[in-house]
C-alpha cells in the first residue's frame, strides 16, 4: 500500500505552519515499514500483530525528551489502542518522515546547497528539501509540529479499516462501531485489533481520514502533578532497571573496541607516535591513523585506551586555541567590531548617549552528556553498518559514506537512543571516525568494532556552545520611574549556527566551516535577544567574531545567553530606580498577557517577597518563539552564598506551553531544563590553554549533585494555544534567576556565566 502525502503528511505541514497546495503537488512514498512475523503494516507509522501489539515507528531520536512516548501516545489515542500493548521501533529512512518545520527554520543553513530550488516559495522549498533529502533531524522541539497530525491521520486511517472489517463480519453499519482499549466495539460485541489485522490490512485506507473530535490534551488541573500518569513513559522501566540499550551498549559477536586520541585545537595533524606499546600488547588488534587522530583497537576498551595513551601521539598544530585570545577578540568585537542589525522594533534609532549600559560575558559551555560519543560499525563486502545515536541520522550516514568512498545505498545506520545529548548528537564526527576504523580493521578480517570516546576526549574534541559578550544600553522615558524607551543589544559571538550548518549539510571540517562563514551575520546566534517587553525602540545586533575554536549548538542555544543578558539588564534597571522587580516587568508586558500570567503564578508559588535586600529571591522570565505561538516561563530562584559556594534551595517556575499532550513529560522537561540551566550558571564550562581544555573530567565542571539540587515547583498555565516544546525554556531562564537572587542576597552583581568566572 502506497502512502499518500495527503493522508500522512498533510498534518505535518499544517502543524508546522506551512501552507501547501496539496492538489497541485501530489506525491507518494513506498511503505517504509517492514512487517515482522505475524504483523501487518498500516501506513508509515504503525504495525499491528496478531497478538494485538501495536508497534509505532518513531523518526526522532530519543535522548531523554520522551518523544518515543509522545508520538505513540497520539497514535494510541486516535486509534483507540491499549497503552499496555504499544511498542516502539525506530523509523527507517523515508521522505514520509520529513521534518518540514525544522527544515524551514534552518533554511539559511542548507539553502546554499540547494540553490536550484531557490525559485520556490519559502514553505514549498522547505518541504521539497526535507522530502528529497529525507531530512528527519531531531532538534528545536519540532517533533509535535512536524508529526502530530501525521500520526493522527495514520491512526485514524487504521481505525477506519479496522472498523470496516469488524462491521462487515458482524453485518452492521460502521457507524455503530468504535474502538477502545485495542478492540472494535459495537454494543456487547468486540473484536481485538489482533483478530482483525489480517483482514483490515487488505482494505483501502481512506483518502481523508476522519479524526476524533477535539484535540489531544492533558489539562494541568490543581493536583494533577500528583496523579498517576495515564500514559507513562515507555522507556522508563528499562532505564530504571538498566536494560535500556544505548549506543555504547551494543554488543556483537567477535566485536573489538577502539579508543581514540585527538590532537589539540585548532588545526592539528598527527606527525608521529610510538608503535611499541601496541606491538607489545597481545590484546591489540590494530592501530588506525587518522589525519588528526590516532586510534588503538583491542579486544577490550580499557586496553585500547591505555595503549593509545602509551603510544604518545604527537601533533603539529596551527592556531593553538587560547582562552585569553578568544576573550580579547570578543571584547574588541563588542566595542568596535563590524555589526549587523538582525532585528529592529520601532524606529531603531541609535542611542548615542545612553542613560544606562552594562556588559556581560558568557564562557564556552560543554554538553557533559553521560554517554560520550559512541558508535559501532561493521565493514564487509563493500557495505558498512553503523549503530549510533544521531539527531540527524541521514547526514551522519552520508558523512560516513563519503569518508570511505561508498555510495549512500551501501551504508546502513541503525539509530540508537542517546544517553544524553543536548544537541551534541547533531555532530557526526565520530561517525566518520568509526567508518575509517572499521574499514581498516576489516582488512585483516571483517569484524565489528566499537568506538567510545573517553571523557577527556569528549571535552577536548567536543564542540562547545559559543562564548559571547553582550553590550546592552538603554534610554529611559522622560519623567518615568525606569520604563525603557529604547534598548540596544550588541552581541559579539562566532556565527555558530552557520558554522554548524556547514558541518552538517556541507560535511566540512571545523576550520573549513569557520572560514566559510567568517564575518557573516547569523540570526540564530542572537535568537531570543528581542525582549518580550513593550519597549518602543529595540535594536538587536550581531558582531560575528573569530575566537580561534569551533562552536556549535547546545540545549537552549542562543537563548541560554540572550535571556541572561536581557533579564540581568532588566533587573539592574529596576534596582537603579528602586523598583520592585516583579511589578517593574509586568508594567512593561502589557501586550503579552500570557507572560504576565506566568509571572504572577510564579510569584504565588514562591511566595515572592518583592526581592528585597538579603531576601535571596531573584526573578527572571523569558519567551521563546513568536508572540503568537511561543512558549513562556517565569522563574523565581531562592539562593544564598555560604562557605561551600552557591546554594540554590528552591526554583519556582510557571510555564505556558500551550496545549499539553503529555503533562508528566512536560513537567520532566521543565524540571530537567532548570537543572541544566543551573549547571550552566555554576559551571559546565571550560577555558583553553595551549590548545587543550582546562577541564578534564566531570568532576571539574561543578555540576550540581543530587544533594545540591534545589526543590523545584512547576505550575502550568492552562492554554489552548498550539503546543510549544518545553525542553529548553528552563535551561534559558534559570541562570538569570539565580544571578538576580544572588544580588538580592549579597548586593553583588554577577555578570559572567558561569557566575564566578572572570570571563572567557
Amino acid at each position: 500500500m502506497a502512502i499518500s502525502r495527503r493522508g500522512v503528511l498533510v498534518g505535518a505541514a499544517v502543524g508546522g505552519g506551512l501552507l501547501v497546495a496539496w492538489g497541485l503537488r501530489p506525491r507518494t512514498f513506498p511503505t517504509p515499514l517492514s512487517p515482522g512475523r505475524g504483523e501487518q503494516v498500516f501506513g508509515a507509522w504503525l504495525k499491528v500483530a496478531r497478538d494485538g501489539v501495536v508497534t509505532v515507528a518513531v523518526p526522532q531520536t530519543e535522548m531523554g525528551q520522551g518523544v518515543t512516548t509522545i508520538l505513540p501516545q497520539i497514535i494510541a489515542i486516535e486509534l483507540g489502542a491499549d497503552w499496555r500493548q504499544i511498542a516502539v521501533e525506530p523509523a527507517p529512512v523515508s521522505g514520509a518522515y520529513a521534518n518540514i518545520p525544522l527544515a524551514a527554520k534552518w533554511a539559511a543553513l542548507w539553502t546554499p546547497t540547494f540553490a536550484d530550488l531557490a525559485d520556490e516559495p519559502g514553505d514549498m522549498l522547505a518541504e521539497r528539501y526535507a522530502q528529497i533529502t529525507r531530512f528527519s533531524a531531531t532538534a528545536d522541539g519540532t517533533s509535535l509540529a512536524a508529526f502530530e497530525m501525521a500520526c493522527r491521520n495514520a491512526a485514524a486511517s487504521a481505525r477506519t479499516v479496522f472498523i470496516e472489517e469488524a462491521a462487515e463480519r458482524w453485518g452492521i453499519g460502521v457507524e455503530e462501531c468504535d474502538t477502545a482499549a485495542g478492540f472494535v466495539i459495537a454494543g456487547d460485541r468486540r473484536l481485538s485489533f489482533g483478530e482483525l489485522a489480517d483482514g483490515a490490512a487488505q482494505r483501502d485506507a481512506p483518502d481523508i481520514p476522519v479524526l476524533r473530535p477535539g484535540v489531544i490534551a492533558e489539562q494541568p488541573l490543581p493536583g494533577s502533578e500528583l496523579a498517576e500518569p495515564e500514559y507513562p513513559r515507555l522507556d522508563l522501566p528499562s532505564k530504571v532497571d538498566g536494560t535500556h540499550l544505548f549506543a555504547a551498549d551494543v554488543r556483537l559477536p567477535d566485536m573489538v573496541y577502539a579508543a581514540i586520541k585527538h590532537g589539540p585545537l585548532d588545526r592539528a595533524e598527527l606527525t608521529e607516535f610510538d608503535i611499541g606499546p601496541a606491538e607489545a600488547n597481545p590484546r591489540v588488534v590494530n592501530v588506525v591513523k587518522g589525519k588528526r587522530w590516532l586510534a588503538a583497537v583491542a579486544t577490550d576498551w580499557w586496553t585500547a585506551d591505555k595503549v593509545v595513551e602509551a603510544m604518545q601521539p604527537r601533533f603539529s598544530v596551527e592556531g593553538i586555541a587560547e582562552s585569553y585570545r578568544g576573550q580579547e577578540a570578543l571584547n574588541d568585537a563588542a566595542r568596535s567590531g563590524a555589526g549587523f542589525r538582525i532585528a529592529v522594533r520601532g524606529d531603531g534609532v541609535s542611542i548615542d548617549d545612553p542613560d544606562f549600559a552594562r556588559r556581560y560575558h558568557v564562557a564556552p559551555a560543554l554538553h557533559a552528556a553521560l554517554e560520550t560519543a559512541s558508535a559501532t560499525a561493521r565493514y564487509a563486502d563493500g557495505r558498512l553498518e553503523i549503530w549510533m545515536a544521531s539527531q540527524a541520522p541521514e547526514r551522519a550516514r552520508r558523512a560516513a559514506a563519503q569518508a570511505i568512498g561508498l555510495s549512500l545505498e551501501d551504508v546502513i545506520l541503525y539509530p540508537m537512543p542517546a544517553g544524553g545529548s543536548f544537541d551534541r548528537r547533531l555532530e557526526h564526527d565520530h561517525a566518520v571516525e568509526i567508518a575509517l576504523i572499521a574499514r581498516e580493521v576489516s582488512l585483516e578480517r571483517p569484524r565489528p568494532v566499537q568506538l567510545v570516546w573517553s571523557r577527556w576526549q569528549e571535552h577536548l574534541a567536543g564542540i562547545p556552545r559559543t562564548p559571547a559578550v553582550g553590550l546592552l544600553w538603554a534610554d529611559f522615558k522622560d519623567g518615568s520611574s525606569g520604563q525603557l524607551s529604547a534598548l540596544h543589544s550588541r552581541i559579539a559571538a562566532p556565527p555558530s549556527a552557520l558554522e554548524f550548518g556547514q558541518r552538517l549539510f556541507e560535511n566540512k571540517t571545523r576550520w573549513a566551516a569557520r572560514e566559510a562563514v567568517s564575518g557573516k551575520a547569523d540570526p540564530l546566534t542572537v535568537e531570543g535577544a528581542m525582549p518580550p517587553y513593550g519597549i518602543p525602540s529595540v535594536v538587536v545586533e550581531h558582531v560575528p567574531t573569530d575566537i580561534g575554536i569551533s562552536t556549535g549548538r547546545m540545549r537552549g542555544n542562543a537563548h541560554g545567553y540572550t535571556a541572561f543578558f536581557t533579564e540581568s539588564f532588566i533587573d539592574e534597571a529596576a534596582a537603579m530606580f528602586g523598583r520592585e522587580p516583579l511589578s517593574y516587568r509586568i508594567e512593561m508586558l502589557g501586550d503579552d498577557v500570557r507572560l504576565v500570567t506566568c509571572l504572577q503564578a510564579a510569584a504565588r508559588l514562591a511566595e515572592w517577597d518583592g526581592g528585597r535586600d538579603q531576601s535571596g529571591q531573584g526573578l527572571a522570565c523569558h519567551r521563546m518563539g513568536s508572540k503568537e505561538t511561543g512558549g513562556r516561563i517565569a522563574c523565581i530562584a531562592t539562593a544564598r552564598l555560604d562557605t561551600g559556594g552557591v546554594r540554590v534551595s528552591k526554583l519556582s517556575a510557571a510555564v505556558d506551553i500551550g496545549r499539553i499532550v503529555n503533562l508528566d513529560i512536560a513537567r520532566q522537561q521543565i524540571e530537567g531544563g532548570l537543572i541544566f540551566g543551573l549547571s550552566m550558571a555554576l559551571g559546565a564550562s571550560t577555558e583553553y590553554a595551549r590548545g587543550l581544555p582546562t577541564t578534564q573530567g566531570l568532576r571539574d565542571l561543578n555540576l550540581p549533585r543530587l544533594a545540591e539540587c534545589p526543590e523545584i515547583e512547576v505550575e502550568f498555565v492552562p492554554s489552548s494555544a498550539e503546543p510549544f516544546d518545553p525542553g529548553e525554556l528552563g535551561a534559558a531562564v534559570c541562570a538569570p534567576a539565580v544571578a538576580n537572587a544572588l544580588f538580592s542576597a549579597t548586593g553583588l552583581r554577577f555578570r559572567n556565566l558561569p557566575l564566578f568566572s572572570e570571563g572567557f
Side-chain angles (χ1 to χ4, degrees):
M1 178 175 64
I3 305 159
S4 72
R5 205 183 78 176
R6 177 171 62 176
V8 175
L9 289 181
V10 61
V14 174
L18 304 178
L19 302 177
V20 181
W22 300 106
L24 299 178
R25 304 180 64 81
R27 285 194 184 87
T28 60
F29 300 101
T31 302
L33 300 182
S34 299
R37 180 175 298 177
E39 285 185 326
Q40 295 290 347
V41 173
F42 295 86
W45 292 91
L46 66 149
K47 301 185 291 186
V48 179
R50 295 192 186 106
D51 61 4
V53 172
V54 178
T55 300
V56 178
V58 176
Q60 299 280 273
T61 302
E62 178 61 75
M63 44 195 176
Q65 83 279 36
V67 70
T68 50
T69 294
I70 288 178
L71 295 185
Q73 174 189 341
I74 292 166
I75 284 179
I77 292 172
E78 188 65 51
L79 180 61
D82 186 339
W83 188 242
R84 296 168 298 179
Q85 290 188 290
I86 295 291
V88 176
E89 70 177 32
V93 173
S94 171
Y97 308 113
N99 189 335
I100 299 170
L102 184 61
K105 181 172 183 179
W106 285 2
L109 308 186
W110 54 259
T111 301
T113 310
F114 286 79
D116 57 323
L117 301 181
D119 59 337
E120 298 278 2
D123 52 3
M124 195 71 74
L125 175 62
E127 182 201 8
R128 287 193 64 190
Y129 166 77
Q131 292 178 343
I132 289 170
T133 64
R134 299 175 294 196
F135 178 75
S136 61
T138 308
D140 278 349
T142 52
S143 294
L144 277 177
F147 303 118
E148 180 182 16
M149 290 306 298
C151 287
R152 289 194 68 184
N153 280 323
S157 293
R159 173 167 46 82
T160 299
V161 295
F162 277 119
I163 287 176
E164 289 175 350
E165 178 68 15
E168 183 174 303
R169 292 188 189 185
W170 291 328
I172 62 176
V174 295
E175 68 278 0
E176 299 179 57
C177 305
D178 199 359
T179 59
F183 291 88
V184 177
I185 300 171
D188 294 334
R189 288 177 285 197
R190 56 172 36 197
L191 284 170
S192 72
F193 290 168
E195 294 173 282
L196 296 167
D198 290 343
Q202 305 308 312
R203 296 180 174 273
D204 291 332
D207 285 338
I208 303 177
V210 178
L211 302 179
R212 294 187 186 276
V215 295
I216 295 173
E218 293 186 351
Q219 294 299 325
L221 302 173
S224 58
E225 69 276 7
L226 303 176
E228 189 74 19
E230 186 175 358
Y231 297 94
R233 290 183 64 141
L234 296 176
D235 58 342
L236 191 59
S238 59
K239 286 181 175 177
V240 170
D241 66 21
T243 60
H244 199 82
L245 295 181
F246 298 97
D249 296 319
V250 171
R251 295 294 181 268
L252 300 174
D254 198 28
M255 191 168 81
V256 291
Y257 301 84
I260 197 166
K261 191 172 178 64
H262 300 90
L265 304 178
D266 179 44
R267 302 190 186 189
E269 290 195 19
L270 181 65
T271 55
E272 56 182 313
F273 58 91
D274 180 7
I275 195 65
E279 293 177 334
N281 194 314
R283 295 183 177 181
V284 175
V285 173
N286 209 329
V287 172
V288 183
K289 298 181 290 183
K291 185 175 182 180
R292 310 183 195 283
W293 48 265
L294 179 69
V297 184
T299 55
D300 63 274
W301 186 86
W302 183 258
T303 296
D305 189 51
K306 292 301 179 185
V307 167
V308 75
E309 186 69 31
M311 287 193 292
Q312 297 182 336
R314 289 172 285 279
F315 300 85
S316 63
V317 186
E318 295 181 20
I320 296 177
E322 296 280 1
S323 283
Y324 74 88
R325 284 202 289 263
Q327 186 59 58
E328 288 175 356
L330 288 171
N331 284 330
D332 290 345
R335 283 192 298 266
S336 57
F340 298 86
R341 288 193 170 194
I342 302 299
V344 175
R345 179 195 297 162
D347 55 25
V349 175
S350 297
I351 306 173
D352 296 324
D353 185 20
D355 296 331
F356 184 59
R358 291 292 184 268
R359 180 169 63 181
Y360 304 92
H361 297 257
V362 174
L366 301 179
H367 297 85
L370 284 179
E371 182 187 35
T372 60
S374 307
T376 302
R378 177 167 52 203
Y379 182 85
D381 301 322
R383 292 174 65 85
L384 178 70
E385 298 173 278
I386 301 178
W387 291 258
M388 66 178 290
S390 173
Q391 292 175 246
E394 190 68 351
R395 306 311 305 178
R397 178 172 168 241
R398 190 176 298 272
Q402 292 177 0
I404 57 176
L406 292 181
S407 67
L408 188 61
E409 291 71 23
D410 288 327
V411 177
I412 301 170
L413 190 147
Y414 304 104
M416 301 294 296
S421 176
F422 319 119
D423 280 356
R424 171 67 179 91
R425 301 294 169 248
L426 280 167
E427 304 288 346
H428 51 240
D429 34 17
H430 53 304
V432 171
E433 292 170 353
I434 191 61
L436 293 167
I437 293 169
R439 184 183 63 179
E440 291 302 307
V441 168
S442 73
L443 294 177
E444 181 178 340
R445 64 183 174 93
R447 59 198 304 189
V449 56
Q450 182 177 91
L451 170 67
V452 176
W453 287 15
S454 68
R455 179 61 59 183
W456 165 237
Q457 293 303 306
E458 184 74 24
H459 285 196
L460 169 60
I463 299 177
R465 186 191 67 187
T466 181
V469 168
L471 286 180
L472 279 71
W473 59 92
D475 276 347
F476 299 107
K477 293 180 180 179
D478 293 339
S480 74
S481 55
Q483 285 194 344
L484 276 63
S485 62
L487 173 66
H488 193 122
S489 296
R490 177 177 167 89
I491 299 172
S496 294
L498 295 180
E499 275 186 41
F500 158 73
Q502 291 289 309
R503 294 192 299 269
L504 184 70
F505 296 106
E506 303 284 353
N507 200 27
K508 288 188 176 180
T509 62
R510 300 179 183 196
W511 39 92
R514 290 216 316 270
E515 290 176 352
V517 301
S518 178
K520 292 186 177 180
D522 185 353
L524 291 178
T525 293
V526 296
E527 191 176 23
M530 178 60 72
Y533 302 103
I535 304 169
S537 177
V538 181
V539 174
V540 175
E541 186 179 1
H542 176 219
V543 186
T545 312
D546 186 353
I547 61 170
I549 60 171
S550 296
T551 55
R553 292 176 55 86
M554 178 175 281
R555 186 177 190 176
N557 292 294
H559 293 273
Y561 48 86
T562 56
F564 177 70
F565 295 161
T566 301
E567 285 303 287
S568 296
F569 187 82
I570 292 295
D571 218 66
E572 293 203 52
M576 179 179 178
F577 283 85
R579 295 291 306 275
E580 186 269 321
L582 176 65
S583 60
Y584 181 70
R585 285 172 168 83
I586 290 176
E587 192 175 277
M588 291 189 291
L589 282 171
D591 62 346
D592 195 335
V593 176
R594 293 171 65 188
L595 189 51
V596 169
T597 302
C598 289
L599 281 165
Q600 293 171 334
R604 288 194 303 270
L605 273 181
E607 298 179 347
W608 171 252
D609 64 358
R612 64 181 187 274
D613 291 348
Q614 299 183 338
S615 72
Q617 284 193 325
L619 173 66
C621 63
H622 192 58
R623 182 176 72 206
M624 299 179 76
S626 69
K627 179 183 175 183
E628 292 73 24
T629 62
R632 278 89 165 160
I633 187 169
C635 178
I636 294 176
T638 303
R640 70 182 191 279
L641 280 179
D642 61 24
T643 55
V646 177
R647 290 290 178 265
V648 180
S649 58
K650 188 175 181 181
L651 294 171
S652 302
V655 186
D656 183 342
I657 55 170
R659 173 170 56 89
I660 300 174
V661 172
N662 188 302
L663 187 59
D664 199 46
I665 289 178
R667 190 177 304 280
Q668 293 167 13
Q669 286 294 286
I670 294 296
E671 292 171 347
L674 289 169
I675 294 298
F676 191 87
L678 183 60
S679 73
M680 295 293 107
L682 304 181
S685 183
T686 189
E687 294 186 351
Y688 293 88
R690 302 185 65 186
L692 302 175
T694 57
T695 55
Q696 299 191 8
L698 289 176
R699 67 186 181 278
D700 303 318
L701 293 179
N702 197 36
L703 302 176
R705 301 181 183 183
L706 185 60
E708 299 163 346
C709 287
E711 175 190 356
I712 298 177
E713 288 185 302
V714 177
E715 179 179 310
F716 288 98
V717 176
S719 175
S720 60
E722 284 301 304
F724 187 85
D725 184 80
E728 298 185 337
L729 284 166
V733 80
C734 184
V738 173
N740 294 337
L742 291 176
F743 170 73
S744 71
T746 67
L748 301 175
R749 281 290 176 190
F750 297 89
R751 300 189 180 98
N752 297 335
L753 282 184
L755 296 175
F756 295 95
S757 65
E758 296 180 357
F760 167 59

